[in-house]
C-alpha cells in the first residue's frame, strides 16, 4: 500500500510529502511568490543531503505553492544588512545558496522541478541544475539581476553559457522573460505541458524591448556580465607584445568550467557587489525595484564608459582585504552517477 504523509504543518515554508520512494517538496510562501530566505535554503540543503544518503528515496519533486514556482531570493533582508554595514551576513546567505545549487547540480537522485508560474533568479538556481524541468503555459522565466544592480548568479554562468547561440547572453544581459515553450526551445526546460496557444511577439517589439532593458540596467552589472579582458588569456603573441582587448561574457567563461568553479567565481563577485567598494548599485536597484518600487534607480557609475576595465576586474578577485573572508568551500561529492560527474 502506498504511503502518503505530510511531515510538516501547512504553515511551514517548505512542505514535505512522502509517496513511496518519492519525496515531494513544496515551497510554501505564496504571498511572497515563494522567495527563498536563509531558513528555506538551509532546510532544502539538509533535505537534499539526507535524501542522497537514504536508499529508500529514488526521486525528488520540487514545486511551488500559488502562482509562482519561486521568484528568487528574499533580497530586502540582505539589503538591510548591507545598509547597516553588515554585508557579511548577506555573504552567508549566498554561501548557503550556492552550496545548495552545487548539491542539486551534482545530486545522485533525479530531481523534477514543476515550473508552473514565475521562475526567476534563485528560483532558476533550485530548478535548472536538476535533471528534469517541466514548464507549462503559465511559466515565466527570467534572470533579472542586472536591473537590480547584481548579475546572473546561482550558477547561471554555467547553465546560461550552455544554451544554443547567444541565448544565454541575451537572457543574462537583458533579463528578458521567456515562456514555457521558449524555455523548452533553448533547453532551460526539458519538458513542456501544453494548455493554450499564445500569440508570438512581433520582431520589432522584441528589438525595442531588448534595447530598453539594456538602457534600464545597471552599467556596472552589464560590464560585469560583459567582461573586458586581454586576449592573452586565449592566446599569446609570439613577439610578446600585448594583444588588443576583446570582449566576452562572464557567462561565456562558464562554458569551460564545471558548475563548482562557476559558483566559486560567482561568490567572489557577489561579495564584492554587497561590499559596495566599487559600486553600490545592488542597494539602489533593490530600493527602486523591490522596496520603494519607483522603478527609477540612480546608478553609479551611470554610464558604461565610466565603468573602467580595472573596476570590472576587481569583482573577480578574492576579497583579500576583508579579515576572515574565504572563497566558497564546496562539499566533497562521492559515488556520483555519470550525469552528475559531467558537471564537476
Amino acid at each position: 500500500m502506498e504511503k502518503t504523509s505530510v511531515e510538516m504543518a501547512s504553515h511551514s515554508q517548505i512542505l514535505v510529502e512522502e509517496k513511496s520512494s518519492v519525496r515531494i517538496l513544496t515551497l510554501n510562501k505564496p504571498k511572497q511568490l515563494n522567495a527563498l530566505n536563509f531558513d528555506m535554503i538551509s532546510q532544502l540543503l539538509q533535505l537534499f543531503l539526507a535524501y542522497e544518503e537514504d536508499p529508500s528515496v529514488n526521486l525528488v519533486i520540487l514545486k511551488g505553492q500559488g502562482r509562482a514556482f519561486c521568484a528568487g531570493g528574499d533580497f530586502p533582508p540582505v539589503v538591510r544588512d548591507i545598509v547597516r554595514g553588515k554585508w557579511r551576513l548577506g555573504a552567508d546567505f549566498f554561501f548557503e545558496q550556492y552550496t545548495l545549487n552545487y548539491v542539486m547540480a551534482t545530486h545522485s537522485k533525479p530531481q523534477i522541478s514543476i515550473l508552473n508560474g514565475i521562475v526567476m533568479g534563485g528560483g532558476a538556481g533550485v530548478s535548472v541544475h536538476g535533471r528534469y524541468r517541466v514548464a507549462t503555459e503559465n511559466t515565466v522565466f527570467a534572470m533579472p539581476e542586472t536591473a537590480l544592480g547584481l548579475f546572473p548568479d546561482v550558477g547561471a554562468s554555467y547553465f546560461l553559457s550552455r544554451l544554443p547561440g547567444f541565448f544565454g547572453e541575451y537572457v543574462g544581459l537583458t533579463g528578458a522573460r521567456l515562456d514555457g515553450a521558449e524555455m523548452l526551445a533553448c533547453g532551460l526546460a526539458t519538458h513542456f505541458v501544453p494548455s493554450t496557444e499564445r500569440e508570438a511577439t512581433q520582431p520589432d517589439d522584441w528589438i525595442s524591448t531588448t534595447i530598453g532593458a539594456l538602457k534600464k540596467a545597471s552599467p556596472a552589472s552589464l560590464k560585469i556580465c560583459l567582461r573586458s579582458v586581454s586576449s592573452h588569456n586565449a592566446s599569446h603573441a609570439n613577439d610578446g607584445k600585448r594583444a588588443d582587448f576583446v570582449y566576452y561574457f562572464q557567462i561565456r567563461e562558464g562554458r569551460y568550467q564545471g558548475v563548482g568553479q562557476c559558483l566559486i567565481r560567482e561568490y567572489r563577485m557577489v561579495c564584492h557587489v554587497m561590499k559596495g567598494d566599487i559600486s553600490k548599485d545592488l542597494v539602489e536597484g533593490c530600493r527602486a525595484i523591490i522596496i520603494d518600487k519607483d522603478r527609477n534607480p540612480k546608478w553609479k557609475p551611470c554610464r558604461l564608459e565610466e565603468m573602467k576595465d580595472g573596476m570590472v576586474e576587481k569583482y573577480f578577485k578574492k576579497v583579500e582585504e576583508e579579515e576572515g573572508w574565504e572563497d566558497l568551500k564546496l562539499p566533497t561529492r562521492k559515488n556520483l552517477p555519470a550525469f552528475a560527474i559531467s558537471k564537476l
Side-chain angles (χ1 to χ4, degrees), residues 97-126:
Q97 182 173 223
Y98 293 176
T99 302
L100 172 63
N101 299 149
Y102 183 66
V103 168
M104 285 179 159
T106 60
H107 209 264
S108 61
K109 309 289 175 69
Q111 174 187 342
I112 299 176
S113 299
I114 310 298
L115 308 179
N116 188 34
I118 298 169
V119 187
M120 295 185 180
V126 295

Side-chain angles (χ1 to χ4, degrees), residues 25-191:
L25 309 181
T26 303
L27 305 178
N28 188 35
K29 278 179 34 180
K31 291 184 179 179
Q32 293 78 36
L33 302 179
N34 299 319
L36 296 168
N37 58 34
F38 185 87
D39 289 341
M40 294 171 72
I41 291 169
S42 296
Q43 188 177 349
L44 285 172
L45 178 57
Q46 293 170 11
L47 288 168
F48 271 81
L49 289 174
Y51 293 157
E52 196 161 47
E53 301 298 323
D54 188 345
S56 69
V57 177
N58 294 325
L59 176 67
V60 182
I61 297 175
L62 185 63
K63 61 182 182 178
Q65 195 81 276
R67 65 188 184 94
F69 168 76
C70 174
D74 188 4
F75 270 109
V78 174
V79 172
R80 286 196 293 269
D81 288 334
I82 295 173
V83 172
R84 292 166 52 215
K86 298 182 180 295
W87 72 268
R88 292 288 293 273
L89 295 177
D92 293 340
F93 172 87
F94 286 101
F95 192 104
E96 192 84 350
Q97 182 173 223
Y98 293 176
T99 302
L100 172 63
N101 299 149
Y102 183 66
V103 168
M104 285 179 159
T106 60
H107 209 264
S108 61
K109 309 289 175 69
Q111 174 187 342
I112 299 176
S113 299
I114 310 298
L115 308 179
N116 188 34
I118 298 169
V119 187
M120 295 185 180
V126 295
S127 59
V128 176
H129 291 298
R131 194 168 184 183
Y132 303 107
R133 289 91 63 189
V134 182
T136 76
E137 80 283 355
N138 299 318
T139 302
V140 179
F141 176 93
M143 298 298 292
E145 286 80 6
T146 60
L148 295 174
L150 191 57
F151 60 92
D153 64 332
V154 293
S157 59
Y158 179 84
F159 60 77
L160 290 184
S161 69
R162 284 155 173 80
L163 299 186
F166 292 96
F167 231 112
E169 290 89 335
Y170 166 64
V171 169
L173 283 172
T174 67
R177 297 188 174 194
L178 306 181
D179 61 25
E182 291 166 332
M183 286 189 72
L184 183 67
C186 71
L188 285 168
T190 58
H191 298 77

Side-chain angles (χ1 to χ4, degrees), residues 102 105-107 129 131 158 162 254-261 336-344:
Y102 183 66
T106 60
H107 209 264
H129 291 298
R131 194 168 184 183
Y158 179 84
R162 284 155 173 80
R255 290 178 182 164
Y256 310 103
Q257 297 179 330
V259 67
Q261 292 172 294
L336 299 177
F339 69 81
I341 292 175
S342 66
K343 299 179 182 180
L344 297 176

Side-chain angles (χ1 to χ4, degrees), residues 253-292:
E253 186 174 348
R255 290 178 182 164
Y256 310 103
Q257 297 179 330
V259 67
Q261 292 172 294
C262 288
L263 287 165
I264 289 170
R265 185 183 67 254
E266 290 176 13
Y267 182 68
R268 288 186 181 184
M269 295 166 67
V270 79
C271 283
H272 281 294
V273 168
M274 290 188 296
K275 196 167 186 285
D277 287 344
I278 309 161
S279 171
K280 302 186 188 307
D281 278 359
L282 175 61
V283 171
E284 175 60 11
C286 289
R287 179 206 64 76
I289 305 300
I290 298 176
I291 300 172
D292 294 342

